[in-house]
């Protein structure tokens, strides 16, 4: 059977779907090992200070307890920071190391690890470890720390710092009569994937197989080898399924270090599953204070933009994300000043969370644009069109493609934007106020070098592999589609493998680069496998294809067939029969085209439209519907692509209306570190979401793919906030828009 | 190792049609017994405190958060986990509808969503999308697959109701 219609571009159901819906997909805490023991981490009850004394005697005497590790008795670890920076996504500073010494740098920091025969015994004994502290006053609110804000001396690798100023924004602003300057704030958020962060270490006579919840197996492997001095040949990380991560599991987290530390010490298999509360003792979306100042002419053309942010980071690292750069990019404006400062808090280091930076920065900018539109008495969409950037305003390069205009048009059409009445509070439905709002979204289309392999296996299947991850993004499926098309094979005969350090090298899965990078790597591996097959076909005794080259043949129905004569062919079975081990494999490496990147800027764009309903007496806001029109190049799988956008939009609804990590400022402790009091959107919060993919041709890579993981959330919160303004006339610049702020 | 384990109780559970007798400590939850003792890891742990629904299984046909059940409380009960609803080669209608509608991404909330949806339909109170959303709100999905989940459930509901309608005509 051959497939005439390519799989790429279809709404192909997930190839891992049947496993996931039947509970057979195995996540990191679900691998069983013989003779395994269970660990539980003891959290610090202060946010800042030092441990004075640890009394583990009661815990040691508790049933089933095998070992208790603290900073006092842990195995030797390297002293200097460098080994701990074997982390592809490390940030400037000294990474957190569990059980390093007596210092406490955030509330909930693990101060001891209890290992017992059962999960219950470890958990129980962990509550019996008595720790005495000397406590200092913590700072956990970015507003309290803003006076000490500084420009990070060392820039984070891979994160562009704000571009230098252009023109003279300050003078232009001063001389302008149409202007606004406001402060915006987005509450701290936590990723809260549904799967708990976990590591299961299978110890087998000194060899380790580590199942760690990670967005890229090679990162924990490198880290472990560097920190514990392990031989790379003696440790593999195998994490085929990841229960959501959204950036949280990019860096090696303390469950990994502690579980492996315990396993090496005890020479046994160990499982460590963090609690939901402990999920709040690692990365988070940083609390930010943003100032946006805009000025414009009577014609609605922007004359100046100033966007400055003070972003939270920890005491021990300078985490940075691209928050303000977008304000120099998305609109045509001659005078722009951007600034990014950090403020140190006694919290864990923040980390990338879905569309890091963009989601915050564009909330501020796109809210300010809405405010400007209302000052100018201009339709908010019209204001965007008047300031449309035809090229990258930060560096002057042309875009490799930018169909944002089409996204605006198609989104507005689908949404019925033209029915919006200009005045706030002018649309009603019964007792509810109705509001329409819109915003622009943007994310960089990135790529990273990736390796991949393609193989024909003894059972006649095509196997493609790449050491990337599928965190729910659909990677398994798109790789299968690409491979099936390359060999004109039914997708059922393709196996895709990811999430294993024995597979070809790939970096972490983040930044929306996996589809373009791993996809193109698999495409190249399939091409290399075809070459290899033709070479072998030529070499068969009395080969009918003795003179054929790859351009002269087609691959279909399990055979290599001459284009010019369909009766001349060689079967894969014959090639496999002659192959050692009954397997023929080829490898390939994909690297982004540097020259192309020199010439063009590549971004994904979106236009988000939101309708909200507000019950003013109760202060309750509902998002009635969202239309997200996305220009993201070629869409490999319309079903999984759509799901990516849906997921981003839902998280955007959370950001706009619900999500807020609240610290007790005196104790430095999070008071709502659970899913009951940190509200992530639930079924009842999400009604209608309409996703449009506009046609966009892009040549940054052969598949024409740009990536979709982040763009769905960018702009969503601003569109909702702008809709709330349109409904109520109230401008809420501090997310989330909770009842108390509206009443 | 310290003092001996406190007395365990013998408990018999019928899990996915198979009778299982095990000694469990009084504080072991049904979820931990399923996951760690019976290796039925389809029931997921997302919070361990009744706030996410990932651990939803059917106990005597009713949906429950298994992290809030002590195993000893369920002696003699019939437990159906996601593994018991259907297998990849023979999916339950709800499982198949989830695949068809791409009603999940990471898949971690999925077994709980499916068990909950099956239980909810049995309860017989959900007809409209609005009602489904309300009655499924105990099952969180951080990947945000909600609209697709509701579509999948609506489809199964419609199939279920179709013969009834015909019979009524
Ligand atoms: S694990 Fe039971 S409700 Fe979350
Ligand atoms: S599919 Fe990932 S949490 Fe629902």
């Amino acid at each position: 059977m051959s497939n005439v219609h390519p799989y790429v571009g279809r709404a192909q159901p997930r190839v891992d779907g049947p496993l996931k819906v039947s509970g057979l997909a195995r996540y990191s805490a679900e691998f069983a090992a013989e003779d395994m023991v269970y660990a539980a981490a003891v959290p610090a009850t202060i946010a800042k200070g030092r441990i004075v004394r640890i009394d583990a005697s009661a815990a040691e005497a508790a049933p089933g307890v095998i070992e208790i590790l603290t900073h006092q008795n842990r195995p030797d670890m390297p002293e200097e920071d460098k080994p701990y920076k074997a982390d592809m996504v490390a940030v400037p500073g000294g990474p957190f190391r569990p059980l390093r010494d007596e210092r406490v740098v955030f509330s909930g920091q693990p101060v001891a690890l209890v290992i017992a025969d059962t999960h219950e015994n470890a958990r129980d004994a962990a509550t019996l470890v008595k720790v005495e502290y000397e406590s200092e006053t913590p700072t956990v609110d970015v507003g309290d720390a803003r006076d000490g804000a500084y420009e990070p001396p060392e820039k984070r690798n891979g994160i562009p710092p704000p571009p230098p100023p252009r023109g003279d924004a300050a003078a232009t602003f001063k001389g302008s009569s149409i202007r606004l300057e406001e402060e915006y704030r987005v509450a701290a958020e936590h990723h809260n994937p549904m799967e708990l962060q976990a590591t299961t270490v299978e110890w087998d006579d000194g060899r380790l197989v580590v199942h760690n919840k990670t967005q890229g197996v090679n990162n924990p492997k490198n880290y472990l080898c560097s920190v514990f001095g392990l031989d790379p040949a003696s440790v593999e990380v195998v994490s085929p399924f990841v229960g959501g991560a959204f950036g949280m599991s990019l860096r090696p987290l303390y469950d990994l270090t502690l579980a492996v530390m315990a396993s090496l010490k005890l020479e046994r298999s160990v499982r460590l599953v963090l609690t939901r509360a402990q999920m709040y003792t690692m990365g988070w979306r940083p609390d930010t204070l943003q100032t946006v100042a805009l000025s414009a002419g009577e014609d609605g053309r922007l004359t100046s933009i100033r966007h400055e942010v003070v972003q939270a980071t920890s005491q021990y690292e300078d985490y940075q994300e691209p928050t303000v750069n977008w304000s120099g990019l998305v609109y045509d404006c001659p005078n722009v000043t951007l600034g990014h400062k950090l403020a140190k808090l006694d919290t864990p280091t923040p980390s990338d969370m879905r569309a890091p930076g963009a989601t915050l920065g564009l909330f501020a900018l796109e809210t300010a644009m809405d405010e400007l539109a209302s000052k100018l008495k201009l339709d908010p969409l019209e204001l965007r069109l008047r300031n449309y950037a035809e090229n990258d305003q930060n560096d002057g390069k042309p875009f490799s493609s930018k169909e944002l205009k089409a996204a605006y048009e198609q989104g507005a059409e689908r949404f019925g934007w033209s029915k919006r009445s200009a005045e706030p509070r002018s649309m009603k439905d019964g007792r509810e106020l109705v509001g329409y709002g819109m915003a622009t979204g943007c994310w960089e289309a990135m790529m990273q070098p990736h390796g991949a392999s393609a193989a024909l296996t003894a059972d006649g299947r095509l196997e493609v592999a790449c050491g990337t991850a599928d965190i729910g993004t659909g990677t398994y499926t798109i790789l299968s589609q690409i491979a099936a098309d390359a060999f004109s094979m039914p997708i059922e005969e393709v196996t895709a493998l990811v999430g294993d350090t024995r597979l070809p090298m790939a970096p972490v899965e983040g930044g929306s680069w996996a589809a373009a990078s791993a996809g193109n790597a698999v495409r190249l591996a399939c091409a290399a496998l075809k070459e290899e097959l033709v070479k072998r076909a030529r070499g068969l005794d009395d080969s009918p294809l003795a003179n054929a080259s790859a351009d002269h043949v087609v691959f279909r129905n399990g055979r290599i067939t001459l284009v010019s004569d369909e009766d001349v062919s060689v079967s894969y079975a014959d090639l496999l029969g002659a192959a050692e081990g009954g397997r023929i494999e080829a490898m390939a490496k994909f690297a982004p085209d540097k020259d192309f990147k020199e010439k063009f800027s590549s971004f994904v764009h979106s236009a988000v439209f939101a309708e909200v309903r507000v019950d003013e007496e109760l202060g309750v806001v509902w998002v009635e519907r969202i239309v997200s029109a996305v220009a993201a190049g070629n869409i490999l799988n319309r079903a999984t692509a759509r799901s990516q956008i849906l997921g981003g939009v839902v998280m955007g609804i959370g950001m706009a209306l619900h999500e807020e990590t609240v610290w007790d400022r005196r104790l430095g402790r999070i008071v709502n570190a659970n899913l009951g009091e940190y509200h992530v959107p639930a079924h009842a919060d999400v009604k209608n979401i309409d996703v449009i993919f506009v046609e966009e041709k892009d040549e940054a890579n052969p598949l024409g793919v740009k990536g979709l993981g982040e763009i769905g959330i960018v702009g969503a919160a601003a569109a909702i906030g702008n809709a709330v303004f349109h409904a109520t006339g109230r401008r809420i610049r501090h997310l989330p828009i909770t009842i108390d702020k509206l009443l | 190792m310290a003092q001996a384990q406190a007395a365990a109780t013998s408990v018999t559970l019928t899990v996915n049609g198979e009778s299982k007798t095990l000694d469990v400590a009084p504080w072991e939850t049904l979820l931990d017994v399923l996951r760690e003792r019976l290796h039925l890891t389809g029931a997921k742990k997302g919070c361990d405190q009744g706030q996410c629904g990932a651990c939803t299984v059917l106990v005597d046909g009713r949906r429950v958060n298994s992290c809030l059940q002590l195993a000893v409380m369920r002696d003699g009960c019939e437990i159906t986990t996601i593994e018991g609803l259907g297998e990849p080669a023979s999916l339950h209608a709800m499982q198949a509808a989830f695949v068809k509608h791409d009603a999940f991404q990471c898949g971690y909330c999925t077994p709980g969503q499916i068990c909950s949806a099956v239980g909810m339909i049995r309860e017989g109170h959900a007809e409209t999308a609005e009602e489904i959303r309300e009655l499924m709100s105990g099952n969180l999905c951080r990947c945000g697959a909600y609209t697709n989940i509701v579509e999948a459930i609506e489809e199964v509901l419609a199939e279920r109701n179709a013969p009834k309608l015909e019979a009524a005509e």
Side-chain angles (χ1 to χ4, degrees):
Chain A
M1 202 185 98
S2 74
N3 61 310
V4 189
H5 301 294
Y7 286 98
V8 166
R10 288 192 205 179
Q12 181 67 32
R14 279 171 208 264
V15 296
D16 51 340
L19 277 185
K20 283 180 171 172
V21 298
S22 54
L24 300 179
R26 237 173 241 287
Y27 300 80
S28 294
E30 299 173 351
F31 289 83
E34 232 170 279
D35 207 21
M36 184 174 72
V37 293
Y38 292 78
V42 179
T45 55
I46 63 163
K48 185 180 191 176
R50 49 185 287 272
I51 299 165
V52 179
R53 209 165 68 90
I54 298 183
D55 175 5
S57 56
E60 269 158 11
V65 170
I66 294 162
E67 176 81 52
I68 297 175
L69 294 173
T70 67
H71 69 277
Q72 290 159 332
N73 69 346
R74 62 156 169 81
D76 278 346
M77 304 274 290
E79 284 300 323
E80 65 283 19
D81 280 329
K82 193 159 176 273
Y84 302 88
K85 297 189 107 171
D87 165 7
M88 298 170 192
V89 261
V91 305
F96 173 69
R97 312 179 207 168
L99 309 187
R100 175 187 190 169
D101 53 29
E102 76 289 352
R103 270 173 297 167
V104 175
V105 290
F106 54 83
S107 177
Q109 171 184 326
V111 291
L113 188 74
V114 176
I115 301 122
D117 57 345
T118 65
H119 153 65
E120 289 82 2
N121 283 339
R123 180 182 62 190
D124 181 42
T127 65
L128 302 175
V129 177
K130 291 198 194 76
V131 186
E132 273 174 43
Y133 301 98
E134 216 172 73
S135 179
E136 292 167 49
T137 308
T139 306
V140 288
D141 187 283
V142 72
D144 295 342
R146 78 185 309 169
D147 287 348
Y150 59 96
E151 266 185 42
E154 187 189 339
K155 302 300 174 203
R156 179 178 172 201
N157 192 18
I159 302 296
R166 58 178 186 258
D168 188 342
T172 313
F173 183 82
K174 234 173 145 192
S176 178
S177 60
I178 303 167
R179 63 184 196 183
L180 63 92
E181 176 172 356
E182 296 291 350
E183 183 165 286
Y184 303 86
R185 185 168 186 178
V186 180
E189 295 184 326
H190 278 80
H191 308 70
N192 274 311
M194 295 314 300
E195 186 197 6
L196 297 170
Q197 183 63 36
T199 300
T200 303
V201 186
E202 289 184 53
W203 189 90
D204 178 11
D205 202 15
R207 288 183 49 83
L208 303 183
V209 177
V210 179
H211 308 286
N212 166 239
K213 185 180 185 192
T214 175
Q215 290 177 245
V217 285
N218 290 296
N219 208 30
K221 175 166 174 166
N222 293 347
Y223 177 85
L224 291 175
C225 291
S226 172
V227 165
F228 292 103
L230 299 176
D231 172 3
S234 72
V235 47
E236 301 296 352
V237 178
V238 180
S239 309
F241 293 100
V242 180
F246 316 109
M248 179 182 178
S249 305
L250 286 166
R251 301 187 66 184
L253 299 172
Y254 68 73
D255 61 303
L256 174 77
T257 325
L258 291 177
V260 171
M261 184 191 289
S263 172
L264 292 173
K265 169 97 203 275
L266 299 173
E267 305 199 328
R268 282 180 85 163
S269 297
V270 174
R271 173 171 298 159
L272 172 56
V273 183
L274 300 189
T275 64
R276 180 54 61 180
Q278 287 169 339
M279 300 282 280
Y280 290 77
T281 60
M282 25 195 65
W284 51 293
R285 193 193 292 284
D287 195 351
T288 51
L289 300 168
Q290 303 186 52
T291 304
V292 178
L294 302 178
S295 64
E298 296 287 347
D299 58 357
R301 301 286 308 266
L302 285 163
T303 52
S304 77
I305 301 174
R306 178 164 61 86
H307 188 172
E308 282 159 347
V309 63
V310 176
Q311 174 227 294
T313 190
S314 67
Q315 296 290 357
Y316 50 93
E317 284 177 317
D318 278 354
Y319 170 78
Q320 296 152 58
E321 53 184 43
T323 310
V324 294
N325 307 26
W326 315 96
S327 291
L329 171 84
V330 293
Y331 297 117
D332 194 335
C333 180
N335 304 294
V336 177
T337 298
L338 306 171
H340 187 162
K341 287 186 175 169
L342 301 180
K344 287 212 173 283
L345 301 183
D346 298 301
T347 64
T349 305
S351 74
D352 298 304
M353 176 168 166
R354 204 165 203 164
T359 231
L360 299 172
L362 281 163
F363 163 70
L365 178 69
E366 287 297 284
T367 307
M369 286 296 278
D370 202 66
E371 301 195 48
L372 182 63
S374 127
K375 256 195 189 347
L376 287 158
K377 302 220 173 304
L378 202 59
D379 180 277
L381 175 54
E382 177 58 27
L383 178 66
R384 267 76 173 186
L385 291 169
R386 289 200 191 166
N387 291 286
Y388 196 83
E390 295 292 353
N391 59 7
D392 183 334
Q393 296 291 295
N394 281 341
D395 61 13
K397 286 183 207 167
F399 292 113
S400 60
S401 57
K402 181 180 175 180
E403 294 297 341
L404 176 59
K405 255 188 195 144
Y408 285 140
E409 269 161 35
Q410 293 175 31
E413 168 75 31
R414 181 79 61 88
F415 183 83
W417 182 255
S418 61
K419 297 196 196 79
R420 178 184 188 267
S421 64
E423 279 305 305
R425 303 184 67 85
S426 59
M427 292 172 75
K428 281 205 176 85
D429 182 3
R431 54 180 278 177
E432 291 173 335
L433 295 169
V434 176
Y436 285 8
M438 60 85 57
T440 309
C442 188
W443 182 254
E444 190 173 0
M446 292 183 273
M447 289 178 276
Q448 300 282 349
H450 276 58
S453 63
L456 278 182
T457 59
D459 52 4
R461 295 183 65 85
L462 175 61
E463 179 189 288
V464 290
C466 173
T468 182
D470 186 335
I471 61 171
T473 38
T475 316
Y476 281 112
T477 311
I478 58 153
L479 299 185
S480 300
Q481 290 173 278
I482 292 164
D485 283 350
F487 280 83
S488 300
M489 235 167 150
I491 198 164
E492 294 75 22
E493 292 173 19
V494 178
T495 305
L497 301 173
V498 306
D500 189 323
T501 44
R502 290 164 296 196
L503 305 177
M505 183 66 187
V508 289
E509 199 266 15
S512 295
W513 60 58
S517 312
N520 277 297
V522 161
R523 191 180 148 275
L524 292 176
C526 288
L529 178 60
K530 286 180 173 180
E531 292 273 351
E532 179 64 26
L533 293 173
V534 171
K535 195 174 99 199
R536 293 192 186 208
R538 270 202 308 261
L540 288 179
D541 291 341
D542 302 324
S543 173
L545 297 178
N547 300 314
S549 77
D551 317 336
H552 298 143
V553 296
V554 288
F555 294 77
R556 78 164 101 84
N557 302 333
R559 307 186 76 85
I560 308 174
T561 307
L562 217 49
V563 176
S564 56
D565 184 350
E566 283 200 22
D567 294 333
V568 180
S569 67
V570 167
S571 76
Y572 300 164
D574 286 345
L575 295 175
L576 286 166
E580 209 180 311
R583 179 184 172 96
I584 304 170
E585 184 169 61
M587 312 280 284
K589 279 207 181 96
F590 168 77
D593 181 342
K594 284 213 183 80
D595 295 343
F596 192 93
K597 211 176 168 228
E598 282 296 302
K599 284 194 221 114
F600 298 98
S601 281
S602 293
F603 289 87
V604 188
H605 294 90
S606 70
V608 194
F609 298 83
E611 175 184 334
V612 301
R613 303 291 175 112
V614 182
D615 181 324
E616 248 196 330
E617 276 164 43
L618 300 175
V620 175
V621 182
W622 291 103
V623 176
E624 185 60 30
R625 59 198 178 97
I626 299 262
V627 173
S628 179
V630 178
N634 189 21
I635 302 303
L636 296 173
N637 183 328
R638 305 198 83 81
T640 56
R642 183 168 169 273
S643 285
Q644 283 293 293
I645 303 305
L646 293 175
V649 168
V650 169
M651 218 177 254
I653 293 174
M655 170 178 263
L657 302 181
H658 312 300
E659 293 186 43
E660 177 169 25
T661 304
V662 182
W663 272 268
D664 178 308
R665 280 157 84 182
R666 198 167 48 93
L667 296 172
R669 190 186 295 172
I670 295 171
V671 298
N672 62 339
N674 63 74
L675 292 170
E677 293 160 294
Y678 179 108
H679 183 74
V680 306
H683 273 282
D685 298 311
V686 181
K687 292 189 173 175
N688 304 296
I689 306 171
D690 207 342
V691 180
I692 301 169
F693 292 113
V694 306
E695 274 283 313
E696 187 177 72
K697 293 250 168 300
D698 193 272
E699 289 177 354
N701 63 72
L703 284 170
V705 178
K706 281 184 171 178
L708 288 161
E710 334 284 320
I711 189 68
I713 191 173
V714 188
I720 294 166
N722 294 342
V724 169
F725 171 76
H726 182 236
T728 64
R730 308 271 305 274
R731 180 68 67 183
I732 312 293
R733 301 186 183 90
H734 186 169
L735 296 182
I737 305 172
T738 42
I739 292 171
D740 53 305
K741 291 179 189 149
L742 270 185
L743 279 177
Chain B
M1 185 170 329
Q3 78 198 56
Q5 188 69 265
T9 313
S10 170
V11 167
T12 302
L13 305 169
T14 306
V15 184
N16 301 331
E18 262 183 65
S19 175
K20 308 264 182 197
T21 301
L22 352 88
D23 287 339
V24 299
W27 48 79
E28 282 183 64
T29 64
L30 178 58
L31 177 61
D32 285 329
V33 167
L34 290 171
R35 283 173 67 83
E36 302 296 337
R37 306 277 300 273
L38 300 175
H39 302 295
L40 291 169
T41 54
K44 303 299 182 197
K45 185 182 281 189
C47 69
D48 218 12
Q49 50 194 22
Q51 295 178 330
C52 76
C55 62
T56 309
V57 299
L58 299 166
V59 176
D60 293 338
R62 296 184 53 218
R63 49 181 176 156
V64 300
N65 286 341
S66 61
C67 70
L68 292 184
Q69 306 283 312
L70 295 171
V72 290
M73 292 157 55
R74 291 304 178 181
D75 191 17
C77 289
E78 293 248 2
I79 317 288
T80 306
T81 70
I82 191 75
E83 291 94 337
L85 277 184
E87 291 170 8
S90 55
L91 295 176
H92 181 280
M94 189 65 75
Q95 293 171 316
F98 266 60
V99 176
K100 179 175 159 196
H101 291 273
D102 206 40
F104 54 90
Q105 294 170 41
C106 77
Y108 199 79
C109 73
T110 312
Q113 301 277 359
I114 291 172
C115 288
S116 189
V118 169
M120 179 194 65
I121 289 182
R122 260 184 222 155
E123 289 157 16
H125 305 304
E127 296 298 335
T128 65
E130 183 97 30
E131 286 163 351
I132 295 172
R133 286 197 288 266
E134 201 58 40
L135 293 169
M136 286 295 293
S137 277
N139 289 86
L140 299 177
C141 175
R142 188 52 157 166
C143 295
Y146 294 125
T147 50
N148 288 353
I149 294 172
V150 172
E151 278 170 25
I153 297 173
E154 278 184 304
E155 181 175 292
V156 175
L157 258 178
E159 275 164 19
R160 219 179 93 107
N161 292 340
K164 261 197 272 169
L165 289 179
E166 271 166 37
E169 270 162 19

